Amino acid sequence: MSLLRQLPPLILASFVVVAVLLVCALFAGPLSPHDIAQVDLRNRFQPPVLLGGSWTNPLGTDSLGRDLLSLVLRGIQVSMTIAAIGTIGGAVLGATLGFVAAWIGGWVDNAIGVLIDFQATIPNLILALALLAALPQASFTLFVLIMIVYGWEQYARLARAIALSAKAQPYVQAQMILGASAARIITRSILPNAMAVLLVNMSINFPKTILVESTLSFLGIGIQPPDTSLGVLIGQGRDQLYNAPWVALAPGFVILIATVSISLLGDWARDLVDKD
Amino acid sequence: MSWVVLRLGRALLTLLLLIAFTFFTLAMNGDPAAAKFGPDIDPETLEAFREKWGLNYPLWKQFLIYLDGIWRLDFGLSFRTGRQAWELVSARLPATLALMLPTMFFSIALGVPLGIYAAAHRGGRADRLTIIAAVIALAIPAFLLGLLLMYVFSVWLGWLPPSGWVGWSSFLMPVATMAVSTASVYARFTRSAMVEVMSHPMIETAEASGLSRRLIRRVHALPNIALPLITITALEFGNIITYAVVTESVFAWPGAGRLLIESVAGRDYAVVQAIILLTGSTMILANLLADLAYGWVDPRIKDARRPRPHRKEARA
Amino acid sequence: MTVPADMTTAQPLLHVQGLGVRFAGTEQPACEEIGFTLAPGEILGIVGESGSGKSVTCRALMGLLPENAALDGRMRFEGQDVLLADRRASARLRGPGLSMIFQDPMSALDPLMTVRGHIALRSPADPAPILRQAGLADPGPLLDAYPHQLSGGQCQRVAIACALARDPKLLIADEPTTALDVTVQAGILAQLRALADDHGMAVIFVSHDLAVIHQLCARVLVMHRGRVVEQGPVHEVLTAPRHAYTSRLIAAIPRPALRGQRLGLEPGATPAAPLPAPRAAADVPVLAFDDVTVRYTRDGQPFDAVRQVSLTLHRGEILGLVGESGSGKSTLAKTAVGLARTARGQVRLLDEVLDWTRPRMQWRRDVQYIFQDPRGALDPAARLLRQVRLPLDIHRAGSRAERDSRARALLAETRLEPELYQRKPASLSGGQRQRATIARALALAPQVLICDESVSALDVSIQARVLNLLMDLRETHGIAILFISHDLGVIHHLCDRVAVMRHGALVESGPTGQVFDAPQHPYTRQLLDAIPLLPDAAVPTPAARNAFAEGTA
């Protein structure tokens, strides 16, 4: 499946988008023209430059008169950070459990298998909602933890399958015969071989994590104001869709190009790996 | 038929785990008595309630009492409205199903033929377009797609009612929002399953004895992709539930999904747990049915020569 | 191209001319200028090693090649001219004209369709006679069976029946018996012979195995690097090969007359140089299986994969372990390295009982295991040198520099060039990989080497080199080798003693000559009868050797 390979312009564009987002996430503070906490009710709903606004607020202002560009930059920073922590954390958690399940087998494998089944049975968003509802107070740390739990079972399944098939491979059996420790075999032999698949799954999972975070924040049960994320911004802007559509559409556009370009890259990477 | 028993056992185990999960998150949520009566209750009534509902018993006994309650669809009283949680939920279910079932239908009716067509013209323009469209459709958050549709068709063009229920046209945007991503999952999955089956050696055997490609696709490929499609349908069911939750919130649709969000925001745990248990058991049932169907159709599983095949990943 | 005189008189069924295939993005054509003629009812063999283009040739005739293959040439089938580039034209001939069966019978059939369904797709006639024609004597109970309920041999016969249902004039069989046991292979070969003789169906039989070709075919095409290097009557080609490649191929095949000698005509090596006779095995037992039983659970039922087998391997000895798939030979060997556990009985290494619940590192040095698949035997992500150094790393043998130089020495001993040491396995050939696994197995100077079908996946010329290497090792290191194989020819060539296993039990064992010349057990006789043998006269004549020498000069 080399279809996306024949489309380097699209992939190139995706790389550029991701690079720009990365710069925005890393330097959100210095790049912001205004302080996001700066409320100015006299300056509400300023339109963006394209709709005849001024360069003081290139993307316009929201219902509290805050500078939308600064808010979007902060939103990118928060959303990307949470997605990165969630993706990496989920991969580490899932891969570890998957390797342990495959290597030890027996009841450990069964127990982890039941957990995987359980996680696969309850839609992730619903599970996150349940945990959020049970928490007495919204907390950033707990929210990040929930994002880590999101999607772990995919890595666990992949890692388990890879380790199981590797265990039957002569190159692993040869090391077992030589008396190599399980830790050595897993970290030095199986992990390097599984890395490509895990990385591809991470690149596919990253945009999904952004989606879940922004969905929860959009629904008002994720990141809580006064802090912001892209989802929070869209949630705040949905009520002004008639009079000030840019408040929702600007962060919406950012999410759109972010998730689409990362997904395209992930899909492209998977094709590359599948080909080998 | 031992695998049926095993499969049933696993479904029951998962269900039990699900109930334990809600039970413990409930316990984490604080004192159920306080949650039931609110903060203004006098201590005697509280104690009487504890006695009556066995809240002074050890945890395992409480769990059994909890199980018994669930068995009778008693999920407790809604904290916000004071009504039975199950009553609230069941009143909202029809509206949610009215979104989910058409979504399911359109997703399969659009996605599967598109996937087959793309696979048959593998590498061609239609195939490439399908893949890119599917990647993009899957990458757009449902709430954003909903808002965009609303902006274009309600705010801008003024063709469709923006939210709530005013008539049949109210269905269009919510169902479209939900069906876009589900249909692209089906299209991608069908395409890759089809490509995989068509590279199986049995296809070459069939071609070698002169069967036409059309016939081969019908008699060999379609039955073989039908099996993984059953599994994917059970898994997609969960995604559709997720989309329903989001879409109902965007379009102010009076369904159980919006109720869930309102209840989570209001920490109304009785309602939340009722919806979660309902969702979870529906999913467990859907997966169980898919596996049973799988075993019934696939002779290899009927023979129990090997355990259940590795479930195909939802991603195609 | 020369066409034998008797072929020109009869109207040929198939005449192929200038067949060439080139895959998009490759420099070398997969095959070119292939031409041959086939008479009705004739069986033509095509022999060649992997990558020689024999399968591509067949698929080109069938119109089965993918779109990225550019085809050239023409064929005349039953008086009908077809340009091979026109896949649709070839496709129209499929079924009643041409048909084909493939190497892997288990996946050749639709897992969701019964045998009856497969036949019904192709012919409205009663399926039973068609299956009988394919050699399934009692097709009744098989009609409603699914492929997974059949054995490999039965699957291949159903695949043949699928072809026969359309009553083809020509059946192309691409390595149809390679994945099957030798007794099953004998049955399939006899069936193809009968179809050719009784029904006048022509057969193109593709194989890497010259002995099989010799048994079945009247004429043979020898292919090498996409070209036909030689063709003619099988006996002539085998006894008096005209092309250097053919002589080399023949010389690489183990056969009775070359027993215990170096195989192949490697540049620099004296042809068929005799190795010193095996040192008198000092009768020192190094590895002993005493009454070993291995029990598995299959479908919830306990199942004995190995039943009460006793076997002893002496120092400096090569012991052959023979049996068909499922005979338990690998399982028995795995008890010596802890990959399988004994349910009863014990395994002794140098008089020490192996207890794998409390393994000792010394045992792990003394016994090494070489697997069948040279691709899976090496870590795809690690460089060669590191992999050969791995045993030394695990056992912390010496400093890092010492390990490195020892690994280099081992790689050199197995004749791998230094420029390969930093490569990953993907860029190595099958033979190079198998030599690297041997180097790795030798790193800790083991007492016992277990070779589990270690040459089965290799082409004959590479197999010959590995066999030579094993004999050298026994000679220089006095290492004891347990050599597991289903290939009796190889066993006969290499081993001092042979043990035959069937259904988990030992049926016969003894010195190689004795077992092969006077087998005691009927199963051993059956096995020996089933192996296709090359004619003894086919030993390359001095003239052929000279031809080869000139060819390489």
Side-chain angles (χ1 to χ4, degrees), chain C residues 332-357:
Chain C
L332 176 70
K334 282 177 180 166
T335 59
V337 288
L339 288 181
R341 303 287 164 90
T342 54
R344 274 205 310 277
Q346 58 187 25
V347 184
R348 281 178 297 123
L349 175 66
L350 297 165
D351 277 331
E352 190 180 358
V353 175
L354 301 183
D355 173 10
W356 290 107
T357 56

Short mmCIF file of all heavy atoms in Angstrom, two decimals, chain C residues 332-357:
data_model
loop_
_atom_site.label_atom_id
_atom_site.label_comp_id
_atom_site.label_asym_id
_atom_site.label_seq_id
_atom_site.Cartn_x
_atom_site.Cartn_y
_atom_site.Cartn_z
N LEU C 332 11.75 -34.11 21.02
CA LEU C 332 12.75 -34.88 21.77
C LEU C 332 14.03 -34.07 21.93
O LEU C 332 14.55 -33.92 23.03
CB LEU C 332 13.05 -36.20 21.05
CG LEU C 332 14.15 -37.04 21.68
CD1 LEU C 332 13.69 -37.62 22.99
CD2 LEU C 332 14.63 -38.14 20.74
N ALA C 333 14.47 -33.47 20.82
CA ALA C 333 15.73 -32.73 20.87
C ALA C 333 15.61 -31.52 21.80
O ALA C 333 16.57 -31.14 22.47
CB ALA C 333 16.12 -32.28 19.47
N LYS C 334 14.44 -30.92 21.83
CA LYS C 334 14.27 -29.71 22.64
C LYS C 334 14.35 -29.99 24.13
O LYS C 334 14.58 -29.08 24.92
CB LYS C 334 12.95 -29.02 22.28
CG LYS C 334 13.06 -28.24 20.99
CD LYS C 334 11.77 -27.60 20.56
CE LYS C 334 12.00 -26.84 19.25
NZ LYS C 334 10.76 -26.46 18.60
N THR C 335 14.18 -31.26 24.53
CA THR C 335 14.33 -31.55 25.96
C THR C 335 15.79 -31.38 26.39
O THR C 335 16.07 -31.20 27.56
CB THR C 335 13.90 -32.99 26.29
OG1 THR C 335 14.71 -33.90 25.52
CG2 THR C 335 12.44 -33.23 25.99
N ALA C 336 16.71 -31.41 25.43
CA ALA C 336 18.12 -31.29 25.78
C ALA C 336 18.52 -29.85 26.06
O ALA C 336 19.58 -29.58 26.60
CB ALA C 336 19.00 -31.86 24.67
N VAL C 337 17.64 -28.89 25.64
CA VAL C 337 17.99 -27.48 25.86
C VAL C 337 16.93 -26.77 26.70
O VAL C 337 16.94 -25.55 26.82
CB VAL C 337 18.17 -26.73 24.52
CG1 VAL C 337 19.46 -27.18 23.85
CG2 VAL C 337 16.99 -26.93 23.62
N GLY C 338 16.00 -27.51 27.24
CA GLY C 338 15.02 -26.90 28.15
C GLY C 338 13.86 -26.24 27.46
O GLY C 338 13.05 -25.59 28.10
N LEU C 339 13.73 -26.39 26.13
CA LEU C 339 12.58 -25.81 25.44
C LEU C 339 11.37 -26.73 25.54
O LEU C 339 10.25 -26.33 25.26
CB LEU C 339 12.89 -25.52 23.97
CG LEU C 339 13.83 -24.35 23.71
CD1 LEU C 339 14.05 -24.17 22.21
CD2 LEU C 339 13.31 -23.07 24.32
N ALA C 340 11.61 -27.99 25.91
CA ALA C 340 10.51 -28.92 26.19
C ALA C 340 10.89 -29.66 27.47
O ALA C 340 12.07 -29.87 27.75
CB ALA C 340 10.30 -29.89 25.04
N ARG C 341 9.89 -30.00 28.27
CA ARG C 341 10.17 -30.66 29.54
C ARG C 341 9.73 -32.12 29.46
O ARG C 341 8.71 -32.44 28.86
CB ARG C 341 9.40 -29.97 30.68
CG ARG C 341 9.72 -28.49 30.82
CD ARG C 341 11.09 -28.30 31.41
NE ARG C 341 11.60 -26.95 31.21
CZ ARG C 341 11.42 -25.95 32.06
NH1 ARG C 341 10.76 -26.14 33.17
NH2 ARG C 341 11.90 -24.75 31.80
N THR C 342 10.51 -32.97 30.10
CA THR C 342 10.16 -34.39 30.09
C THR C 342 9.07 -34.65 31.12
O THR C 342 9.10 -34.11 32.23
CB THR C 342 11.38 -35.26 30.44
OG1 THR C 342 11.90 -34.79 31.69
CG2 THR C 342 12.45 -35.15 29.39
N ALA C 343 8.10 -35.49 30.74
CA ALA C 343 7.08 -35.89 31.70
C ALA C 343 7.59 -37.11 32.48
O ALA C 343 7.37 -37.25 33.67
CB ALA C 343 5.78 -36.24 30.98
N ARG C 344 8.29 -37.98 31.75
CA ARG C 344 8.95 -39.13 32.40
C ARG C 344 10.31 -39.29 31.77
O ARG C 344 10.59 -38.78 30.68
CB ARG C 344 8.12 -40.40 32.17
CG ARG C 344 7.01 -40.63 33.18
CD ARG C 344 6.67 -42.13 33.28
NE ARG C 344 6.44 -42.73 31.97
CZ ARG C 344 5.25 -42.65 31.34
NH1 ARG C 344 4.26 -42.01 31.89
NH2 ARG C 344 5.09 -43.22 30.17
N GLY C 345 11.17 -40.03 32.45
CA GLY C 345 12.50 -40.27 31.92
C GLY C 345 13.41 -39.08 32.19
O GLY C 345 13.00 -38.09 32.80
N GLN C 346 14.66 -39.17 31.74
CA GLN C 346 15.59 -38.08 31.99
C GLN C 346 16.54 -37.89 30.83
O GLN C 346 16.72 -38.78 30.00
CB GLN C 346 16.37 -38.35 33.28
CG GLN C 346 17.13 -39.65 33.25
CD GLN C 346 17.75 -39.96 34.60
OE1 GLN C 346 17.29 -39.50 35.62
NE2 GLN C 346 18.83 -40.72 34.58
N VAL C 347 17.13 -36.71 30.78
CA VAL C 347 18.14 -36.42 29.79
C VAL C 347 19.44 -36.20 30.53
O VAL C 347 19.48 -35.46 31.51
CB VAL C 347 17.77 -35.14 28.99
CG1 VAL C 347 18.78 -34.92 27.88
CG2 VAL C 347 16.37 -35.26 28.42
N ARG C 348 20.51 -36.88 30.10
CA ARG C 348 21.80 -36.73 30.77
C ARG C 348 22.81 -36.09 29.83
O ARG C 348 22.89 -36.47 28.65
CB ARG C 348 22.32 -38.08 31.26
CG ARG C 348 21.65 -38.53 32.57
CD ARG C 348 22.13 -39.87 33.01
NE ARG C 348 21.77 -40.91 32.04
CZ ARG C 348 22.65 -41.71 31.45
NH1 ARG C 348 23.94 -41.61 31.72
NH2 ARG C 348 22.24 -42.62 30.59
N LEU C 349 23.52 -35.12 30.36
CA LEU C 349 24.58 -34.48 29.60
C LEU C 349 25.87 -34.76 30.35
O LEU C 349 26.03 -34.35 31.49
CB LEU C 349 24.32 -32.97 29.52
CG LEU C 349 25.38 -32.11 28.86
CD1 LEU C 349 25.49 -32.44 27.38
CD2 LEU C 349 25.07 -30.64 29.06
N LEU C 350 26.79 -35.49 29.73
CA LEU C 350 28.05 -35.88 30.38
C LEU C 350 27.78 -36.44 31.77
O LEU C 350 28.37 -36.00 32.76
CB LEU C 350 28.98 -34.66 30.47
CG LEU C 350 29.42 -34.08 29.14
CD1 LEU C 350 30.03 -32.71 29.32
CD2 LEU C 350 30.40 -35.02 28.45
N ASP C 351 26.81 -37.36 31.81
CA ASP C 351 26.47 -38.06 33.04
C ASP C 351 25.83 -37.20 34.13
O ASP C 351 25.69 -37.62 35.27
CB ASP C 351 27.69 -38.80 33.63
CG ASP C 351 27.85 -40.15 32.94
OD1 ASP C 351 26.81 -40.69 32.50
OD2 ASP C 351 28.99 -40.63 32.83
N GLU C 352 25.44 -36.00 33.74
CA GLU C 352 24.73 -35.16 34.70
C GLU C 352 23.27 -35.06 34.25
O GLU C 352 23.01 -34.79 33.07
CB GLU C 352 25.36 -33.78 34.74
CG GLU C 352 24.85 -32.93 35.88
CD GLU C 352 25.51 -31.55 35.87
OE1 GLU C 352 26.37 -31.32 34.99
OE2 GLU C 352 25.16 -30.74 36.71
N VAL C 353 22.34 -35.31 35.16
CA VAL C 353 20.93 -35.26 34.78
C VAL C 353 20.48 -33.81 34.66
O VAL C 353 20.73 -33.01 35.56
CB VAL C 353 20.06 -36.02 35.81
CG1 VAL C 353 18.59 -35.86 35.46
CG2 VAL C 353 20.44 -37.48 35.86
N LEU C 354 19.86 -33.49 33.54
CA LEU C 354 19.42 -32.11 33.32
C LEU C 354 18.09 -31.87 34.03
O LEU C 354 17.11 -32.55 33.77
CB LEU C 354 19.24 -31.82 31.82
CG LEU C 354 20.47 -32.01 30.94
CD1 LEU C 354 20.14 -31.62 29.51
CD2 LEU C 354 21.63 -31.19 31.45
N ASP C 355 18.09 -30.93 34.94
CA ASP C 355 16.87 -30.58 35.64
C ASP C 355 16.58 -29.11 35.33
O ASP C 355 17.22 -28.22 35.88
CB ASP C 355 17.07 -30.80 37.15
CG ASP C 355 15.87 -30.29 37.94
OD1 ASP C 355 14.84 -29.95 37.31
OD2 ASP C 355 15.98 -30.21 39.17
N TRP C 356 15.63 -28.86 34.44
CA TRP C 356 15.43 -27.50 33.95
C TRP C 356 14.68 -26.62 34.94
O TRP C 356 14.48 -25.44 34.69
CB TRP C 356 14.74 -27.50 32.60
CG TRP C 356 15.65 -28.03 31.55
CD1 TRP C 356 15.57 -29.24 30.95
CD2 TRP C 356 16.82 -27.39 31.03
NE1 TRP C 356 16.61 -29.40 30.06
CE2 TRP C 356 17.39 -28.28 30.09
CE3 TRP C 356 17.45 -26.17 31.25
CZ2 TRP C 356 18.55 -27.99 29.39
CZ3 TRP C 356 18.59 -25.87 30.54
CH2 TRP C 356 19.13 -26.78 29.63
N THR C 357 14.23 -27.20 36.06
CA THR C 357 13.69 -26.30 37.08
C THR C 357 14.83 -25.59 37.80
O THR C 357 14.63 -24.56 38.41
CB THR C 357 12.85 -27.08 38.10
OG1 THR C 357 13.65 -28.12 38.65
CG2 THR C 357 11.62 -27.70 37.44
#
